[in-house]
Amino acid sequence: MGLLPQIAQDLLPGVWASSSDDAIAQAGVMIAAYALGVVVGAPTIAVFAARVPRRIILLALTVAFTLGTVASALAPTFGLVVLFRFVAALPHGAYFGIAALVAASLMGPGKRGQGVALVLSGLTVANVVGVPLITALGQSAGWRIAYLVVAAIFAASVVAIRLTVPTQPGDPDATPRRELGAFARPAVWFALLTGSVGFAGFFAVYSYVAPLTTEVTGLPESAVPWALVTLGVGMTLGNLLGGWAADRGVLRALFLCFGVFAVVLLGLALTAAQPLGLFGFLFGVGGAAAALSPAIQTRLMDVAGDSQTLAAAVNHSALNIGNALGAFLGGAVIAAGWGYLAPTWLGLVLCAPGILLALAGAWVTSRR
């Protein structure tokens, strides 16, 4: 996301020459393609992987990450890069879903939310360290080099998983029919929709942090990695707090996080022209959004019955529907000429249906 301007300039030179705004908005399709790959891959892989020993499937999925990222770095055209981003994303949801099950099992009863948050903290710490460093590397050495470095990190992760993750059996009683049974539960759908709509607001902002920082706040390009660091620190702290809160009341945690999210989005929209407002409220946006994730993941595990593998994986489908929707709608409002602050207002608007969907899910559960 932080490299969208560089990618747009390299892969869409004709569009860039006529309008850099249009080129950046079009390059946002790459984000949507990755997100849609997660949406497709998470339930498909999870349904058929539930019986496979968990360390084996984690290793296979990480190898797939590595190969897909290398292909993305080497693809010569914009269309092929978009295709390989989709392919590279297919293992994403199943990987994090199965890893969350492993962590929840190791943490023991009463600490599932914290186990889920521990796994998701990998994503949030990556936003503090990996994303800014890779963004800075891509700005200086080129986005393709940045992607190859990411692929090398994936390859190192294959080794780390093999050496450190304990052996855990799959579910010998799992069948595709049983796993898919989760979709017969209305509460599962409401939880998925809550995550999709809520995170669309976050990704509308996150996808366009680079132009928000340079065009609205007026800071140099070198400030973009620091904006991402700030957002990532907020995500790291918010994720841990969200896991703690989910273990003490999932629905209460959901509503509290949505309320805070709306407040910080409003603050960002009103003060982003000032560096203090940008950095302060980006921290809050990252924290509130990340706190939602373990709450939604735990909520899905609560309402999915025996379909735990699928429930853990499709949470990432829901979040990446939000990713795709947020990137697309954020690009649309920019392309419409409403400016780089428009995605922040869009995120605030999307909080309302997110809260309503969470309320509907709570109502369905109470009726049952």
Side-chain angles (χ1 to χ4, degrees):
M1 294 172 178
L3 293 173
L4 275 185
Q6 288 74 24
I7 293 171
Q9 188 172 8
D10 181 37
L11 295 178
L12 300 167
V15 182
W16 182 272
S18 60
S19 171
S20 60
D21 289 357
D22 288 347
I24 291 172
Q26 188 172 333
V29 171
M30 288 177 56
I31 300 170
Y34 187 94
L36 291 175
V38 179
V39 173
V40 172
T44 305
I45 295 173
V47 163
F48 294 101
R51 302 181 68 172
V52 179
R54 288 170 177 170
R55 186 173 68 175
I56 291 176
I57 192 65
L58 289 178
L59 288 169
L61 295 172
T62 314
V63 169
F65 276 138
T66 307
L67 297 177
T69 306
V70 170
S72 301
L74 301 180
T77 66
F78 179 71
L80 283 176
V81 172
V82 171
L83 173 63
F84 286 128
R85 294 318 296 146
F86 175 85
V87 171
L90 292 173
H92 180 121
Y95 174 87
F96 281 102
I98 293 169
L101 290 177
V102 171
S105 173
L106 292 174
M107 293 288 282
K111 294 186 177 181
R112 288 181 309 153
Q114 294 175 64
V116 170
L118 185 62
V119 171
L120 295 177
S121 69
L123 289 170
T124 60
V125 170
N127 279 283
V128 179
V129 181
V131 171
L133 289 178
I134 291 297
T135 299
L137 176 64
Q139 289 173 345
S140 61
W143 69 270
R144 295 183 188 274
I145 297 298
Y147 268 48
L148 290 173
V149 171
V150 171
I153 295 170
F154 281 137
S157 299
V158 175
V159 178
I161 291 168
R162 177 63 181 83
L163 294 177
T164 65
V165 174
T167 300
Q168 280 197 8
D171 184 350
D173 299 322
T175 64
R177 181 185 181 90
R178 194 192 77 177
E179 291 295 315
L180 290 170
F183 291 128
R185 299 169 178 260
V188 169
W189 284 104
F190 280 118
L192 292 173
L193 289 170
T194 300
S196 297
V197 174
F199 272 80
F202 170 66
F203 282 109
V205 177
Y206 190 17
S207 299
Y208 301 98
V209 164
L212 178 68
T213 302
T214 57
E215 303 300 324
V216 175
T217 315
L219 297 174
E221 191 176 71
S222 59
V224 174
W226 292 107
L228 292 169
V229 167
T230 302
L231 194 146
V233 171
M235 291 179 69
T236 301
L237 296 177
N239 172 66
L240 296 175
L241 287 172
W244 176 85
D247 284 331
R248 284 153 180 80
V250 174
L251 290 173
R252 182 175 59 187
L254 275 176
F255 294 128
L256 178 62
C257 292
F258 264 119
V260 175
F261 192 34
V263 169
V264 293
L265 282 169
L266 178 62
L268 180 63
L270 295 175
T271 66
Q274 304 300 321
L276 184 60
L278 174 76
F279 284 96
F281 283 108
L282 278 180
F283 176 87
V285 166
L292 278 169
S293 189
I296 293 171
Q297 177 87 78
T298 305
R299 171 69 175 164
L300 275 168
M301 293 165 69
D302 284 343
V303 299
D306 293 331
S307 308
Q308 290 293 297
T309 302
L310 182 65
V314 295
N315 178 49
H316 297 275
S317 290
L319 301 187
N320 280 274
I321 289 173
N323 189 340
L325 185 64
F328 172 76
L329 292 177
V333 295
I334 291 170
W338 294 349
Y340 288 113
L341 199 55
T344 303
W345 289 109
L346 173 67
L348 181 60
V349 169
L350 289 173
C351 281
I355 293 171
L356 291 176
L357 287 164
L359 284 169
W363 179 78
V364 167
T365 302
S366 67
R367 285 288 300 270
R368 293 191 63 180

